[in-house]
Amino acid sequence: MTSAAVTLAFTTLAQARPDKRVTIVKVGKVTPDQARDVAKDLLASVVKGQDPSRDRAEERGAVTFAKLADAFLHHVEALKKANTHAQYAHMLNAYGEALMTVLPMPKRAKTANPVAKPYEPTARELASQAAYAKRRENRRPIPQIKVSMSEDGGKRIASIAVDHPDPALGYELLAEAVRADSGTFLAGTLDSLAKAAQVGSVVREGEMNYALSMVCGLRPKDQIEATLGVQMAAIHMATMNAAMCMGQAKTWELKESQERALNRLARTYVAQVEALKHYRSKGEQRVIVERVNVEKGGQAIVGNVAHGGG
């Protein structure tokens, strides 16, 4: 070894620069056997995917204790008195090197960012997703409602408009969804839904669209069914508000009051469902006979039986 430093060239493992060299130590400070041991460690780190040359470059570029101390003293000199600056300088010069020897700065570990594996849905999830997509394809096109609040003479006014690129077409789609025979009925239906979604003096757009979706979800066949759907939506939202108030009640009296209101509203909703079923069946009563036993000598008659007079 006649060179000023012992170096190793990783010609097969370094991809970016085949001639990259890493200096181990100057000749005379270690024996050749010690240099070979260091070289083995470097080669092992390269096999693991590390770059010793880059690591050393980062260490050289890191802020040293001396530079950090100088920056701190410069900051103190600008803000503190001369005696304070002198005391800080004395402590850093006297104890700084010893402190760094006792408490060496830990080297930050380099961790690779794990790549998140995309979620793979199960077969049942995919089947449910396909069923939902098919059901959405068969539903009626129903535009949303936009609500904007404004002030006029100290009163808050809610303006309701259809959210559709073609407003005229949007209102026609809404009229078809609620089976409105006229614009007057459609306007009254939207106004009723706005009242159901009103909290204080504010009409909440999200709740109004939720109520509209409940009415359209019933697929009303005429204006009576649509009106009953509006009432059902209003009772349902009032039921949820009563449940919220009951949970927030601070006294037993208030809790019992809200509980009674909640029970009445829940019973009303059930009655509305029964009324809708009765109206859709047109009042017909059907008796379904699942099993008929005919004994020996008897006769079974299937059909309408009329009793004659006399």
Side-chain angles (χ1 to χ4, degrees):
M1 298 182 182
T2 58
S3 60
V6 179
T7 60
L8 295 175
F10 304 101
T11 58
T12 58
L13 297 177
Q15 299 178 357
R17 289 181 53 191
D19 59 341
K20 184 183 296 184
R21 296 176 181 271
V22 178
T23 301
I24 298 177
V25 71
K26 293 183 178 180
V27 176
K29 291 188 177 182
V30 297
T31 64
D33 291 336
Q34 293 174 338
R36 293 189 186 95
D37 293 338
V38 176
K40 291 179 181 179
D41 294 337
L42 292 174
L43 286 172
S45 65
V46 171
V47 172
K48 294 179 181 179
Q50 300 177 2
D51 188 348
S53 178
R54 183 188 59 193
D55 294 342
R56 291 192 175 183
E58 292 179 356
E59 291 178 358
R60 296 190 190 100
V63 179
T64 62
F65 179 79
K67 292 181 179 179
L68 185 61
D70 290 341
F72 174 72
L73 291 176
H74 180 73
H75 176 74
V76 171
E77 184 179 11
L79 300 177
K80 302 294 183 179
K81 296 181 180 179
N83 291 337
T84 304
H85 177 269
Q87 291 177 0
Y88 283 146
H90 172 72
M91 287 188 292
L92 289 174
N93 293 330
Y95 307 110
E97 185 176 355
L99 180 62
M100 292 299 294
T101 303
V102 176
L103 300 173
M105 296 295 292
K107 189 175 181 180
R108 186 173 57 183
K110 297 179 180 179
T111 57
N113 295 328
V115 179
K117 184 180 179 181
Y119 176 74
E120 296 181 1
T122 64
R124 298 180 66 179
E125 290 176 335
L126 292 175
S128 298
Q129 184 184 37
Y132 173 68
K134 184 177 180 180
R135 185 158 49 87
R136 284 183 60 87
E137 290 178 358
N138 296 330
R139 73 183 182 94
R140 299 170 180 172
I142 304 172
Q144 296 282 297
I145 295 296
K146 293 188 299 184
V147 179
S148 57
M149 303 299 301
S150 60
E151 296 282 347
D152 185 11
K155 296 181 180 180
R156 306 199 70 179
I157 300 176
S159 300
I160 301 173
V162 63
D163 187 7
H164 195 275
D166 186 349
L169 176 59
Y171 284 113
E172 291 177 357
L173 294 175
L174 285 177
E176 173 62 19
V178 299
R179 287 296 190 264
D181 294 336
S182 63
T184 303
F185 179 80
L186 176 60
T189 300
L190 295 179
D191 183 67
S192 299
L193 292 174
K195 293 176 181 178
Q198 183 173 346
V199 178
S201 60
V202 178
V203 177
R204 296 186 177 181
E205 181 177 301
E207 294 189 8
M208 181 172 180
N209 283 294
Y210 174 55
L212 177 62
S213 68
M214 284 192 285
V215 176
C216 297
L218 294 175
R219 294 181 177 270
K221 298 180 176 60
D222 53 33
Q223 294 185 160
I224 295 179
E225 291 189 5
T227 303
L228 184 56
V230 173
Q231 296 177 6
M232 294 173 66
I235 290 297
H236 170 71
M237 296 173 70
T239 304
M240 296 300 100
N241 289 331
M244 179 187 65
C245 294
M246 185 180 68
Q248 296 177 350
K250 301 299 183 181
T251 63
W252 284 107
E253 291 78 6
L254 289 176
K255 187 176 291 292
E256 290 178 355
S257 175
Q258 295 298 334
E259 183 180 4
R260 289 192 297 269
L262 178 62
N263 290 331
R264 287 195 298 269
L265 290 168
R267 288 195 297 268
T268 302
Y269 186 82
V270 173
Q272 289 174 330
V273 174
E274 293 297 329
L276 179 62
K277 292 172 59 178
H278 182 74
Y279 179 78
R280 285 182 169 178
S281 64
K282 303 302 180 182
E284 298 178 358
Q285 294 184 357
R286 298 181 180 180
V287 179
I288 300 176
V289 180
E290 297 181 352
R291 183 177 179 181
V292 178
N293 294 327
V294 180
E295 301 295 339
K296 185 177 180 180
Q299 294 181 348
I301 302 175
V302 179
N304 297 328
V305 179
H307 296 278

